[in-house]
Amino acid sequence: MFDREQWAEIFESIGKNKMRAVLTGFAVFWGIFMLIILLGAGAGLRNGFSYNFRNTATNSIRLRGNETSKHWQGLPPNRVISLEEADIEALRHAIPGIQHISGQYRVWRGNSRLRYGKNTGSYNIRGIQPEHRHLQHQRIIAGRFINEVDEVQDRKVIVIAEDCRQELFKGEDPLHKWVSVNGIPFEVVGLYEFEAGGMERGSRSPVFIPLSAAQKVFNAKGLVDDITFSFADASIAGAKQAEQRAIHTLARRHNFDPTDERALWVNNNVENVGMLGSIFNGINAFLWFVGIGSLIAGIVGVSNIMLIVVKERTKELGIRKALGATPAKVVGQILMEAIFLTGMAGWAGLVLGVFLMEGIASVVPGSEFFRDPTIRIDVALWALAALIVAGALAGYIPARRAAAIRPIEALRYE
Amino acid sequence: MIVLKDIRKAYRTGANLLQVLKGIDLEIRGGELVSIMGSSGSGKSTLLNIIGILDNYDSGEYLLDGMLIKGQTETESALLRSKYIGYVFQSFNLIGFKNALENVALPLYYQGVPRRKRNELALAMLERVGLKEWAHHLPNEMSGGQKQRVAIARALVADPKVVLADEPTGALDTRTSAEVMALLTEVNRDMGKTVLIVTHERDVAAATQRVIYLRDGVIENAHLDPRGLSTAMDGVRVTNKPAGDVRP
């Protein structure tokens, strides 16, 4: 393999037919280039969607009251199920391995007015419990998030985001200033970083107040819009079990058929993530399939050219055999040339593809659909391994043809 | 050195079986300088190819240096060729993109001789054929006679026991033919190689010690005296065209 003579001959052979080598190599170059682009795009899609889940506990379930669709113990269907504060504690005790739980109440159906001085804005005010931060992470820039003391003492405190700060406070420091929420004063205790997109869809950031204060101040009558909880067993089976436990608990408390799928709106994140995962695995498999397909087209090209090379060099190979070249030497020569050609062209495609994807990653801003389209190093190494195999495959048939040359016939060949 | 017993060889062309060699019995001792003559299609090139282990035969026995040459694998044949036989071809068969030195060194490469050593040996051999100054020239920069001398150097570099030459002067003019023949004679006389030359030129045959005359696949005369041949054919020079082109 590290035979100087053999390498010299490979360079000579390629050097004599530069144009042909370049055109042949281009097919392989393009094949691997496309493979990298496709895989990068796949990674970008996957990263984009995973990014949406970055702040959400993936081992969580969110429940919301809905409308029953089945008769149950003499009760008619189409009853509205409204979740209550008391359900939160019931769930906390009913679900094994529960980690965190928080109810959420949307003040005025999420359409409240905030005012500071002369500045006003329409915001989505959410009464939540302190554990909410474990379920839907908010990165605090200044101050703090709603805490247990706020909850217990029904403190009128509020956590706002950057866009809200700009609208209401302009250049001012918002901490410990009082804003009016639908006419009721709340003290700003924290500022969090809000990124549009993902689970918190919408142009405006939500604003958080303690659930207890929301109940009292805005007369929520103990109702909550939804309840989210996380649990220890993040497997699909574990999530299903937790979901069933929650549904049964609520069914008992609200008198509905636990098999009634319309009574509650359930969002099981473990299932969501699992489903997205299998979708992306499917997309990835498809991209590999297409990429390998275009690579094969390149390999066939190299194989074809090597057949021509062998045909052209029939006489020369015959002379070599007459001078004592063994079939193994001849096969090695052709095989190495094919591997070298595919290897170099493929390597160029690999490098260019990776650079292009890195370039795109650094220029194109990440969105919720597409983000950081770079392939991992192990994928690149797999592609490289595929190339070497490809080169060997490309050289195999021509090399066999070369080995079969009989010197006597080759010497007669003009 | 070379013993052939009832060698037969046929080529299949479509439905026909063309019997080329019809039972050749021949013995060539070590150190002999022998020529094989015969008309076109008499089987002389086929015979040379069989002796050179480039071609196989259908029946009979071929012993090279006491070893039966039959049923060897391609790899074994390659090693035998490399060890025992040096070839000189009518059309030189030098590799065009290699210079004289590299061409001469090639058989040594296949014997696994280290690079430095084989270049040394190849250069010494080129010096011997008087082409040391041409070592780094490509074949297409040389004359026919020079090319054939490079080819002879290549045939000799691995120190074979037998040198086989198939129409070595077929592509050369009279003067260079004489030079090449002088060189082959010297190879036989000074280096002690067994030299076997296939030719249809009487001048060439006349320079050898013994002429084997083939006709229609059988040996008509295995001990023709070249001196007789030379005087008998004096002035009846045929063309220098290759054997295949000669038509009655």
Side-chain angles (χ1 to χ4, degrees):
Chain A
M1 190 172 177
F2 300 104
D3 189 327
R4 221 168 115 185
E5 195 85 3
Q6 199 169 20
W7 282 110
E9 301 204 349
I10 286 169
F11 290 131
E12 237 151 4
S13 168
I14 291 173
K16 272 195 305 175
N17 296 291
K18 285 192 194 73
M19 182 57 115
R20 189 171 72 186
V22 165
L23 289 176
T24 313
F26 184 77
V28 173
F29 163 85
W30 192 249
I32 207 83
F33 183 71
M34 288 309 292
L35 182 67
I36 297 298
I37 299 281
L38 288 172
L39 293 179
L45 277 177
R46 187 191 285 265
N47 290 343
F49 279 88
S50 320
Y51 187 76
N52 297 339
F53 282 94
R54 75 199 180 286
N55 287 333
T56 309
T58 50
N59 56 334
S60 66
I61 290 175
R62 176 179 295 202
L63 301 154
R64 194 183 294 162
N66 206 352
E67 209 172 279
T68 61
S69 64
K70 289 182 181 175
H71 289 275
W72 178 251
Q73 294 178 344
L75 294 166
N78 301 326
R79 287 177 299 125
V80 171
I81 305 296
S82 300
L83 298 182
E84 299 158 0
E85 271 190 296
D87 292 330
I88 299 168
E89 282 313 301
L91 286 172
R92 194 193 291 280
H93 292 111
I95 293 160
I98 193 163
Q99 289 175 329
H100 303 287
I101 187 162
S102 169
Q104 177 166 265
Y105 176 73
R106 296 147 87 89
V107 177
W108 288 17
R109 295 239 165 265
N111 243 326
S112 302
R113 289 198 76 72
L114 249 63
R115 180 211 290 275
Y116 177 73
K118 283 182 205 152
N119 306 323
T120 61
S122 172
Y123 285 89
N124 183 351
I125 311 266
R126 300 183 179 185
I128 48 88
Q129 292 172 300
E131 284 181 38
H132 180 87
R133 66 175 183 273
H134 300 296
L135 302 167
Q136 187 76 50
H137 182 69
Q138 315 297 349
R139 209 167 76 81
I140 298 294
I141 305 167
R144 60 174 176 82
F145 197 66
I146 309 293
N147 64 24
E148 281 71 13
V149 182
D150 297 331
E151 176 74 10
V152 172
Q153 299 183 354
D154 314 333
R155 280 185 187 165
K156 287 189 291 236
V157 292
I158 188 164
V159 175
I160 62 170
E162 185 60 23
D163 58 337
C164 176
R165 185 193 69 78
Q166 279 178 8
E167 190 171 25
L168 298 182
F169 294 92
K170 313 293 181 197
E172 256 181 85
D173 178 6
L175 286 186
H176 310 299
K177 303 277 162 50
W178 290 77
V179 292
S180 136
V181 178
N182 297 333
I184 315 288
F186 277 74
E187 184 191 358
V188 178
V189 293
L191 184 65
Y192 76 93
E193 187 183 57
F194 176 73
E195 289 166 81
M199 301 302 281
E200 301 293 346
R201 212 168 290 248
S203 56
R204 285 271 168 104
S205 62
V207 174
F208 298 103
I209 61 174
L211 179 63
S212 57
Q215 290 283 342
K216 292 221 165 62
V217 175
F218 300 105
N219 193 24
K221 296 175 186 134
L223 297 178
V224 290
D225 285 292
D226 57 65
I227 298 171
T228 308
F229 63 89
S230 64
F231 40 89
D233 184 357
S235 67
I236 295 274
K240 207 72 210 165
Q241 201 194 343
E243 182 183 318
Q244 283 307 312
R245 270 310 256 283
I247 290 171
H248 277 87
T249 306
L250 295 175
R252 212 167 42 246
R253 291 177 55 81
H254 293 271
N255 282 318
F256 62 84
D257 185 346
T259 64
D260 187 347
E261 291 188 350
R262 301 212 27 212
L264 291 172
W265 175 88
V266 181
N267 183 27
N268 189 330
N269 259 340
V270 174
E271 280 184 346
N272 293 346
V273 171
M275 192 180 69
L276 275 178
S278 48
I279 286 174
F280 285 115
N281 285 341
I283 290 176
N284 211 31
F286 176 72
L287 294 179
W288 267 104
F289 177 74
V290 173
I292 291 288
S294 63
L295 188 58
I296 286 173
I299 295 165
V300 170
V302 171
S303 197
N304 235 329
I305 284 297
M306 290 310 294
L307 274 176
I308 293 173
V309 166
V310 168
K311 184 126 181 96
E312 272 185 1
R313 292 173 64 183
T314 298
K315 191 177 170 76
E316 181 208 320
L317 293 170
I319 297 170
R320 287 169 182 276
K321 284 192 157 186
L323 296 180
T326 57
K329 279 267 185 195
V330 174
V331 166
Q333 178 85 31
I334 301 297
L335 215 53
M336 284 308 287
E337 188 170 329
I339 292 176
F340 179 76
L341 198 61
T342 34
M344 289 315 278
W347 184 77
L350 188 70
V351 168
L352 204 73
V354 166
F355 266 98
L356 184 75
M357 293 323 267
E358 291 285 350
I360 287 174
S362 64
V363 170
V364 177
S367 74
E368 59 188 285
F369 299 113
F370 198 79
R371 172 176 292 274
D372 191 22
T374 51
I375 63 161
R376 296 200 313 267
I377 184 73
D378 59 327
V379 176
L381 290 177
W382 272 112
L384 208 60
L387 260 181
I388 302 296
V389 174
L393 283 176
Y396 178 71
I397 294 171
R400 288 241 342 231
R401 182 78 54 92
I405 290 173
R406 296 187 54 216
I408 171 75
E409 274 151 28
L411 290 172
R412 220 181 280 145
Y413 182 92
E414 293 292 342
Chain B
M1 179 60 63
I2 293 165
V3 178
L4 299 174
K5 289 177 190 157
D6 195 28
I7 293 288
R8 288 168 192 275
K9 170 79 180 173
Y11 286 118
R12 187 176 292 279
T13 50
N16 299 325
L17 206 62
L18 181 66
Q19 200 72 39
V20 182
L21 298 180
K22 302 168 181 168
I24 301 282
D25 289 291
L26 184 63
E27 187 173 351
I28 295 166
R29 290 180 308 280
E32 264 194 292
L33 172 59
V34 182
S35 59
I36 302 176
M37 290 195 79
S39 60
S40 173
S42 61
K44 55 189 193 301
S45 282
T46 303
L47 180 61
L48 196 74
N49 287 334
I50 288 171
I51 293 172
I53 327 177
L54 289 173
D55 208 347
N56 48 15
Y57 52 93
D58 299 336
S59 65
E61 265 185 10
Y62 166 28
L63 296 155
L64 174 63
D65 201 20
M67 191 173 11
L68 180 65
I69 306 298
K70 196 169 204 171
Q72 273 90 353
T73 64
E74 273 280 331
T75 307
E76 287 163 349
S77 299
L79 295 174
L80 282 173
R81 284 198 286 269
S82 155
K83 191 174 171 200
Y84 283 94
I85 296 166
Y87 299 90
V88 178
F89 303 96
Q90 174 179 356
S91 50
F92 324 125
N93 282 342
L94 299 177
I95 292 172
F97 56 85
K98 288 180 173 294
N99 65 31
L101 186 71
E102 289 166 337
N103 263 291
V104 173
L106 202 56
L108 296 173
Y109 165 66
Y110 289 122
Q111 288 191 353
V113 176
R115 189 182 181 81
R116 184 188 297 269
K117 176 89 175 150
R118 63 174 188 260
N119 283 347
E120 242 168 57
L121 287 169
L123 197 63
M125 197 49 76
L126 274 174
E127 190 172 12
R128 193 150 188 163
V129 300
L131 288 173
K132 194 184 178 189
E133 289 71 31
W134 291 79
H136 298 286
H137 286 256
L138 290 174
N140 61 14
E141 296 164 344
M142 295 187 229
S143 71
Q146 287 173 323
K147 281 191 234 183
Q148 197 58 300
R149 268 148 60 196
V150 172
I152 291 170
R154 183 178 65 181
L156 293 170
V157 75
D159 196 24
K161 293 205 159 40
V162 180
V163 173
L164 302 178
D166 190 0
E167 301 276 5
T169 61
L172 304 175
D173 60 34
T174 319
R175 202 170 57 81
T176 37
S177 288
E179 280 173 25
V180 165
M181 276 316 294
L183 184 58
L184 283 173
T185 313
E186 196 186 306
V187 164
N188 170 255
R189 194 185 57 228
D190 299 347
M191 299 173 82
K193 308 286 182 205
T194 310
V195 178
L196 200 55
I197 302 169
V198 162
T199 186
H200 68 276
E201 289 176 52
R202 286 147 189 89
D203 283 359
V204 170
T208 61
Q209 297 159 356
R210 159 155 87 109
V211 178
I212 298 164
Y213 197 83
L214 238 66
R215 186 192 290 275
D216 294 335
V218 289
I219 292 177
E220 200 176 68
N221 192 337
H223 294 278
L224 213 61
D225 186 355
R227 278 162 302 180
L229 184 82
S230 181
T231 45
M233 301 295 169
D234 205 13
V236 201
R237 279 207 64 77
V238 203
T239 57
N240 280 326
K241 281 188 190 163
D245 292 352
V246 176
R247 292 280 182 277

